[in-house]
Amino acid sequence: MRDENNPFAEDTDTLAYVLRASGMPDFPRVELEAIDVLPLRNTVLFPGVILPISVARPSSIQLLEHLKVNKLAYLAITAQKNPEIDEVRPDNVYPVATLAKILRAQTTPEGHVTLMIQGRHRIRLTEYVQTEPFLRARYEYIPETLPDETHQKGLLLALRENALKALEHLPESPQEARFILQNIQGLPFMTNFLANNLPMSLAERQALLEINDIGERAEKVLAQLQSQLNVLEVTEDILNRVRSTLEKQQRDYILRQQIKAIQDELGESPEQSDIARYQEAAKNKKWPAEAQQAFEREIARLERIPPFSPEYGVATAYIEWLLDLPWGEYTKDRFDLSKARKILDRDHYGMEKVKKRVLEYLAVLKLRQDMKSPILCLYGPPGVGKTSLARSVAEALGRKYVRMSLGGLHDEAEIRGHRRTYIGAMPGRILQLLRRAGTSNPVFVLDEIDKIGHDFRGDPAHALLEVLDPEQNTTFQDHYLEIPYDLSRVLFIATANSLETIHPALRDRMEIIELSGYSVPEKLQIARRHLLPKVIAEHGLKSRQLHIPDETILNVIERYTRESGVRQLQRELAALARWAALQIVEKKVAKSVKILPDNLEEILGAPRFDKEEYERELRSGVGIGLAWTPYGGDVLYIETIAMPGEGKLTLSGQLGEVMKESATLAYHLVRAYRLASPEWFKSHDIHIHIPAGAVPKDGPSAGVVLLAALASLVTDKRIRPYLAMTGEITLRGRILPIGGVKEKLLAALRAGIKDVALPEANRKDVAEIPSDLLEGLTLHYFSDIRSLLAFAVEGIEMNLPEAMGIS
């Protein structure tokens, strides 16, 4: 039988037959009326080739019995198209077959018959005369053509040389194969011999058998032989390289073992010294039992791992992380409340609510040492000092300070770490920052918690749920560490600009402390106490070399910045300091520089913002509203106009859906109050516009001013001078509370407003604002629309039927 792993290995029993056929003699033709057809699975027989086969199929056994009885030695050998089919039909065999002679037959104990057959001629099965119990068919010989003698010799030489080369790459090839190849003299037999023994698919062998031109068939076999030779060369090259690598590894291993034996003899084993160092460091650790067990388990594993193994580095990295983490190490809190208050007041102006909360926590901590730390969230617009306040809190408490920026964080592993099965795994940033702090109770700032992202790698907000839950963070599990770590003594302070984008479950775990924007007087004090000294020092100046009066700072605040915080103000003051430094270096001034308001345009350029001022002599149909923005409060002028038409209402000014609904609600209430006749509304179109059309506007707090402006328009009576309004309205005539009260009132003060109408429910919010900030402003509170309109629109008369149910 043929060895599939060695395509040139022939059964030694066939050697004599092959040698006899080395020249492929001209076999005589056998003329029969019909010939028995023996289908073979996955085998194609070529002329001249001797092939041993095993016959076990019942129909094939019957065919051999028929040949034996009739003393016939010839049969047709053809290949099955589908070798899976057991019952052979004419349509499942190839019509081009090989006329073969049975050289020897032998019956096995299992009842199978082993044949030695030799291909003689190619034939075509033209007509089947019998299909049961075996196939018989008429046939015809297929003629073959030979190339010229020179071409034959060239092809024969190329086939022999490539076949011998291929044998060199087969370490277990028999010597008989080389002997056979060297003795084959004819091109037809060399071609058929190689075609029979090269590894090819059944379809490829059958295609070669069907080629009539011997030269073309030889060229196809040569191409297949060359391809197989390339594969063998590449395989041998790979095996040589692998063998070389293994030999080097074995040599290195032996050398390392010898070095280890010498070091052990001298008592200088580096692995043992590492393990001893780790065990010595572990004696001083105050870690829990789980950490001790994990350490001992990893040390025992390390002792069994060869030092050159990749697992050795993984184990040592894990042990070093265990030893580096500050298990049970805490900084001593400073319980001097007066000193803590001085530190907070020194670094930040205002922010009384946050300072009070920190001092309360410190007082309780002084009474109860093991109190769990609160989870605070400082929420407010950019630049109001949320992050810097957290640093001051750390100093006031006498704790270490660490900060983790969450903006744009997408990967959950940044919080929980990677499992040790991954290459390059390490703990999450929570434990990394604790190791850097060297203590388990730092002030830990989670900056920009509202800007966490999420994608296919997970949602970091969900991982933070365990970190920020006082009931769970006592046993925080990092994926890398895989043992609980106590975070309950860490004072987490998160910062955010918006609460809407924070996950609700995460928001529920934090104590929200709102930091509103600064008023102009507050900005002046912050600039004078904090920003200006810092800017002067950063620019190499001394305090006596630069003098900026309060009037100049106020001009910078009102005309060059428009923000809730003070970042832009600091940049503008830095520009003033640079200009002063240039004057001093160029010796244009003697010793100091004084910057007056008149110098600002020369230094900072033209004012970027016009000072908000009240517009006098407003016509009827125009009202003043108050709005909240991320940069503070603002004043909105609501403009309305009526024109002959069909009773349509038009809105403009890039209004959001909620504000559009408020405008529609105000329009319907004005009609319900019968401030004009129904005929007037049917014959007039009304247009409501809010200036600054490029700026999106939304929210329900403009409801009262929209209502007042429409009431003023249809009655042709003006709104009270110097009056601004804010509040949400309902169809029942109620006025509901709104947010951003402080920012809106400060905006009214900046614009020169004297009176502000607020919802009655916002009276409690005003009580939290320092009274000195509202000096010069008179506040009026209303809970229903009727009383508001009576106050806001001068001389208005309303005839509202009681049955309509409107207040």
Side-chain angles (χ1 to χ4, degrees), residues 4 14 36 43 104 185 236 248 295 301 318 342 425 588 599 602-603 630 684 704 714 765 801:
E4 293 296 336
T14 67
D36 297 343
T43 301
R104 189 176 67 191
Q185 301 301 322
E236 185 177 16
K248 182 178 182 302
F295 173 77
R301 179 168 170 262
Y318 181 77
K342 287 179 182 178
K588 294 181 180 180
N599 305 127
E602 174 192 351
I603 303 170
H684 288 81
V704 292
V714 300
D765 300 310

Side-chain angles (χ1 to χ4, degrees), residues 122-304:
R122 295 185 314 129
I123 60 174
R124 179 177 285 104
L125 304 177
T126 58
E127 181 184 357
Y128 284 91
V129 298
Q130 176 183 320
T131 58
E132 295 293 341
F134 51 85
L135 300 178
R136 282 178 60 81
R138 294 188 176 91
Y139 66 98
E140 63 181 12
Y141 288 94
I142 303 175
E144 294 181 333
T145 58
L146 282 169
D148 59 73
E149 187 175 352
T150 304
H151 197 187
Q152 285 189 58
K153 290 181 179 179
L155 285 172
L156 179 62
L157 182 62
L159 288 171
R160 180 180 290 116
E161 288 182 352
N162 280 276
L164 291 173
K165 283 182 183 179
L167 280 177
E168 293 175 0
H169 294 285
L170 294 171
E172 298 180 358
S173 60
Q175 290 297 323
E176 293 86 350
R178 179 179 297 276
F179 185 68
I180 292 171
L181 289 172
Q182 290 173 338
N183 284 275
I184 295 177
Q185 301 301 322
L187 177 64
F189 183 59
M190 176 67 82
T191 302
N192 293 341
F193 177 74
L194 293 176
N196 186 74
N197 288 281
L198 282 172
M200 286 184 284
S201 67
L202 177 67
E204 290 173 326
R205 292 184 198 279
Q206 183 67 28
L208 287 174
L209 181 66
E210 294 178 3
I211 297 175
N212 298 332
D213 189 338
I214 297 294
E216 182 183 350
R217 190 188 307 165
E219 289 175 356
K220 297 277 189 184
V221 171
L222 182 60
Q224 187 69 26
L225 182 59
Q226 185 64 49
S227 174
Q228 183 66 17
L229 180 60
N230 293 337
V231 172
L232 290 172
E233 289 175 346
V234 172
T235 303
E236 185 177 16
D237 180 60
I238 293 172
L239 290 174
N240 289 336
R241 281 191 278 117
V242 171
R243 190 179 301 112
S244 175
T245 302
L246 290 175
E247 289 173 356
K248 182 178 182 302
Q249 288 179 352
Q250 290 171 350
R251 185 176 64 254
D252 292 346
Y253 174 77
I254 293 171
L255 289 174
R256 285 194 183 96
Q257 291 301 108
Q258 291 174 347
I259 293 171
K260 185 176 184 297
I262 295 171
Q263 289 174 336
D264 289 342
E265 190 69 25
L266 297 174
E268 298 177 353
S269 174
E271 298 85 46
Q272 292 301 323
S273 63
D274 285 344
I275 292 172
R277 178 168 54 86
Y278 293 149
Q279 290 174 334
E280 184 65 27
K283 292 179 182 179
N284 302 320
K285 300 301 291 184
K286 304 174 184 176
W287 48 23
E290 294 95 332
Q292 179 67 33
Q293 292 169 4
F295 173 77
E296 293 173 354
R297 183 172 61 250
E298 209 64 26
I299 286 290
R301 179 168 170 262
L302 189 65
E303 291 174 337
R304 299 191 302 269

Side-chain angles (χ1 to χ4, degrees), residues 643-712:
M643 64 205 82
E646 301 174 352
K648 295 180 180 178
L649 176 65
T650 303
L651 307 174
S652 62
Q654 202 172 159
L655 310 185
E657 290 299 320
V658 177
M659 187 171 277
K660 288 179 181 179
E661 292 173 358
S662 296
T664 305
L665 181 60
Y667 175 71
H668 290 154
L669 283 172
V670 167
R671 295 188 64 175
Y673 275 107
R674 297 184 181 180
L675 298 178
S677 64
E679 290 75 17
W680 187 92
F681 285 106
K682 290 180 182 180
S683 60
H684 288 81
D685 290 344
I686 294 179
H687 188 161
I688 301 176
H689 177 69
I690 302 179
V695 180
K697 311 168 191 71
D698 205 0
S701 63
V704 292
V705 68
L706 286 166
L707 176 66
L710 288 172
S712 169

Side-chain angles (χ1 to χ4, degrees), residues 49-65:
V49 174
I50 297 174
L51 188 68
I53 61 174
S54 178
V55 178
R57 190 160 25 198
S59 60
S60 300
I61 297 292
Q62 288 182 328
L63 181 148
L64 296 178
E65 290 293 335

Side-chain angles (χ1 to χ4, degrees), residues 8 84 97 123 143 180 253 256-257 448 476 487 518 593 622 666:
F8 297 96
E84 302 296 328
I123 60 174
I180 292 171
Y253 174 77
R256 285 194 183 96
Q257 291 301 108
E448 311 290 356
F476 171 68
L487 300 178
Y518 296 116
V593 177
V622 178

Side-chain angles (χ1 to χ4, degrees), residues 450-616:
D450 57 322
K451 297 175 180 63
I452 294 178
H454 60 88
D455 58 13
F456 63 93
R457 290 167 289 187
D459 190 347
H462 292 164
L464 281 174
L465 293 177
E466 181 183 3
V467 175
L468 299 182
D469 191 338
E471 300 301 324
Q472 298 183 41
N473 64 10
T474 54
T475 56
F476 171 68
Q477 289 257 6
D478 186 275
H479 288 160
Y480 179 84
L481 211 59
E482 293 183 331
I483 53 177
Y485 193 93
D486 187 3
L487 300 178
S488 63
R489 302 283 290 276
V490 179
L491 176 56
F492 287 103
I493 299 180
T495 69
N497 300 128
S498 172
L499 297 179
E500 283 74 19
T501 54
I502 302 177
H503 193 282
L506 192 59
R507 188 166 63 237
D508 182 61
R509 283 164 168 75
M510 299 186 293
E511 181 180 340
I512 308 296
I513 299 178
E514 183 177 0
L515 301 181
S516 56
Y518 296 116
S519 64
V520 172
E522 287 175 328
K523 290 181 180 179
L524 176 61
Q525 292 300 321
I526 292 170
R528 180 63 64 196
R529 297 184 188 185
H530 303 287
L531 302 183
L532 201 53
K534 180 180 178 182
V535 164
I536 289 174
E538 287 177 349
H539 290 79
L541 300 172
K542 297 180 180 178
S543 57
R544 66 174 182 273
Q545 291 180 301
L546 177 60
H547 177 61
I548 304 178
D550 288 352
E551 186 180 358
T552 303
I553 297 176
L554 286 172
N555 267 271
V556 173
I557 293 170
E558 294 177 346
R559 305 183 69 188
Y560 290 91
T561 67
R562 182 159 292 177
E563 57 179 345
S564 292
V566 290
R567 283 187 184 145
Q568 184 62 30
L569 175 58
Q570 182 176 344
R571 285 191 282 267
E572 300 299 337
L573 292 176
L576 298 181
R578 289 193 298 271
W579 182 83
L582 181 63
Q583 305 303 309
I584 293 172
V585 171
E586 292 183 346
K587 299 182 180 179
K588 294 181 180 180
V589 296
K591 295 182 179 179
S592 65
V593 177
K594 183 177 182 179
I595 301 178
L596 299 173
D598 295 338
N599 305 127
L600 291 179
E601 196 160 342
E602 174 192 351
I603 303 170
L604 302 179
R608 298 183 185 88
F609 306 101
D610 295 326
K611 186 176 179 180
E612 296 172 346
E613 293 184 355
Y614 173 74
E615 297 181 11
R616 294 177 176 82

